């Protein structure tokens, strides 16, 4: 439902605010997490936890924002293909960040096949498009690559925070998502996307309502 609503928004033709969509999603997820999962307890004030939470927030920001913004330049099947290839960077980052993670040869073989399939799909899509569309495709693929790498970083950092620093899941979600909200807000404020998106929201109340519903599905899923 979340993905279907995301695709529907960009098919509208008037909606071109991927980072604003991410702002809504992060704000709703962090608010719901605070209401239903946050626990009033002492939190470690170690500098290591603060650094990891900042890295996690940055990963969420790029993953959500770049992934949504990419839909302005690529179609939805291409995004799905890129997202499906998350296995590759997740494996690499898992070894580097967690340290003791091990994968069997079949995992590496699956990663290689995913990479080859993705390259084939991107090449075929580029060949079938016009010159201008190919430029957009290249930009979209770049944004999706950033999103996939960040998306692979997020679960590894989360695992490290939960297992090694004993931070509760609710607190981790609330702190990291609210920090991401702040980062995305600053970005769209200085780029001007915030004001254009708010103008769109005033003219398309039903579309704004669907953005909120999509964000709720993101929390549930």
């Amino acid at each position: 439902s979340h993905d279907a609503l995301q695709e529907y928004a960009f098919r509208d033709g008037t909606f071109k605010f991927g980072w604003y969509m991410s702002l809504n999603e992060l704000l709703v997820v962090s608010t719901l997490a605070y209401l239903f999962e946050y626990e009033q307890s002492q939190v470690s004030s170690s500098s290591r936890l603060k650094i990891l939470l900042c890295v996690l927030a940055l990963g969420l920001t790029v993953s959500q924002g770049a992934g949504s913004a990419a839909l302005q330049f690529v179609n939805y099947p291409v995004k799905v293909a890129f997202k499906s290839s998350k296995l590759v960077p997740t494996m690499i980052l898992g070894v580097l960040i967690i340290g003791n993670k091990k994968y069997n040869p079949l995992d590496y073989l699956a990663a290689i096949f995913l990479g080859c399939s993705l390259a084939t799909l991107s090449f075929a899509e580029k060949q079938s498009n016009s010159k201008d569309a190919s430029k957009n495709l290249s930009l979209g693929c770049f944004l999706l690559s950033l999103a996939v790498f960040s998306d692979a970083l997020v679960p590894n950092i989360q695992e490290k925070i939960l297992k090694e620093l004993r931070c509760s899941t609710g607190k981790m979600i609330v702190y990291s998502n609210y920090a991401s909200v702040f980062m995305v807000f600053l970005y769209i404020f200085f780029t001007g996307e915030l004001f254009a998106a708010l103008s769109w929201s005033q003219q398309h109340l039903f579309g704004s309502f669907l953005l909120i519903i999509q964000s709720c599905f993101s929390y549930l899923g």
Side-chain angles (χ1 to χ4, degrees), residues 140-162:
C141 288
F142 172 72
L143 290 171
L144 285 175
S145 298
L146 283 179
V148 168
F149 178 82
S150 301
D151 206 21
L153 177 68
V154 167
N156 285 298
I157 296 296
Q158 287 175 331
E159 183 177 347
K160 199 170 186 69
I161 290 173
L162 292 173

Side-chain angles (χ1 to χ4, degrees), residues 10-210:
F10 282 95
R11 281 188 174 182
D12 174 70
T14 61
F15 185 83
K16 300 177 180 180
F17 313 107
W19 287 93
Y20 177 74
M21 174 184 282
S22 297
L23 179 69
N24 278 274
E25 192 167 322
L26 289 165
L27 186 59
V28 169
V29 168
S30 52
T31 301
L32 291 176
Y34 179 80
L35 292 174
F36 298 111
E37 298 183 55
Y38 190 83
E39 301 171 1
Q40 294 290 346
S41 60
Q42 188 66 31
V43 182
S44 170
S45 58
S46 69
S47 57
R48 190 181 179 201
L49 176 59
K50 292 176 182 177
I51 291 172
L52 285 176
L53 284 173
C54 288
V55 173
L56 178 57
L58 182 60
L60 286 169
T61 300
V62 177
S63 173
Q64 296 278 1
S68 297
L71 284 175
Q72 296 175 228
F73 310 105
V74 300
N75 57 39
Y76 203 75
V78 172
K79 181 182 178 180
V80 171
F82 267 85
K83 285 290 187 178
S84 299
S85 71
K86 189 176 75 170
L87 172 65
V88 181
T90 300
M91 290 171 60
I92 296 172
L93 291 174
V95 173
L96 294 175
I97 296 172
I98 306 301
N100 59 353
K101 276 199 169 185
K102 296 186 182 296
Y103 300 96
N104 61 52
L106 286 178
D107 292 325
Y108 289 106
L109 185 62
I112 292 171
F113 278 122
L114 274 173
C116 292
S117 300
L118 182 60
T120 302
L121 175 65
S122 299
F123 178 76
E125 187 75 17
K126 189 170 184 177
Q127 291 296 104
S128 64
N129 287 331
S130 64
K131 188 174 181 180
D132 290 338
S134 294
K135 289 181 180 179
N136 288 339
L137 178 65
S138 298
L139 178 56
C141 288
F142 172 72
L143 290 171
L144 285 175
S145 298
L146 283 179
V148 168
F149 178 82
S150 301
D151 206 21
L153 177 68
V154 167
N156 285 298
I157 296 296
Q158 287 175 331
E159 183 177 347
K160 199 170 186 69
I161 290 173
L162 292 173
K163 287 187 175 180
E164 297 184 16
L165 300 177
R166 307 294 181 185
C167 180
S168 70
T169 303
K171 279 186 168 58
M172 179 186 68
I173 293 174
V174 171
Y175 292 152
S176 59
N177 276 273
Y178 272 131
S180 296
V181 167
F182 178 70
M183 293 179 187
V184 175
F185 177 82
L186 285 180
Y187 176 78
I188 64 176
F189 178 83
F190 286 109
T191 59
E193 181 175 324
L194 175 63
F195 307 105
L198 288 175
S199 176
W200 177 89
S201 296
Q202 291 177 344
Q203 298 172 28
H204 301 81
L205 295 180
F206 181 68
S208 300
F209 171 73
L210 290 181

